[in-house]
Amino acid sequence: MADKYRCGRCWKTFDEEKLKVLPGVRCPYCGYNIIYMIRRPTVKVIKAV
Ligand SMILES: [Zn+2]
């Protein structure tokens, strides 16, 4: 399972390809526009220098 993105409302996970189906960044299931990005099991904080 390639769960890279998670919806902020229905909490379903989906791949980047499904994210590109719809224009803009929206949940392919419910259309919510707040998406969380899931990269690795370990959360890595990246600071912009
Ligand atoms: Zn959703």
Side-chain angles (χ1 to χ4, degrees):
M1 293 291 288
D3 298 329
K4 296 177 182 177
Y5 295 93
R6 173 169 285 174
C7 174
R9 187 165 71 177
C10 68
W11 284 90
K12 287 187 177 182
T13 54
F14 43 88
D15 205 352
E16 186 178 4
E17 293 181 4
K18 286 191 175 180
L19 197 67
K20 289 181 179 177
V21 172
L22 298 173
V25 181
R26 284 176 181 271
C27 172
Y29 298 99
C30 70
Y32 200 54
N33 60 356
I34 297 178
I35 306 297
Y36 296 99
M37 189 183 298
I38 307 166
R39 283 231 160 172
R40 295 284 170 90
T42 54
V43 179
K44 194 173 186 179
V45 178
I46 302 172
K47 289 186 178 179
V49 180

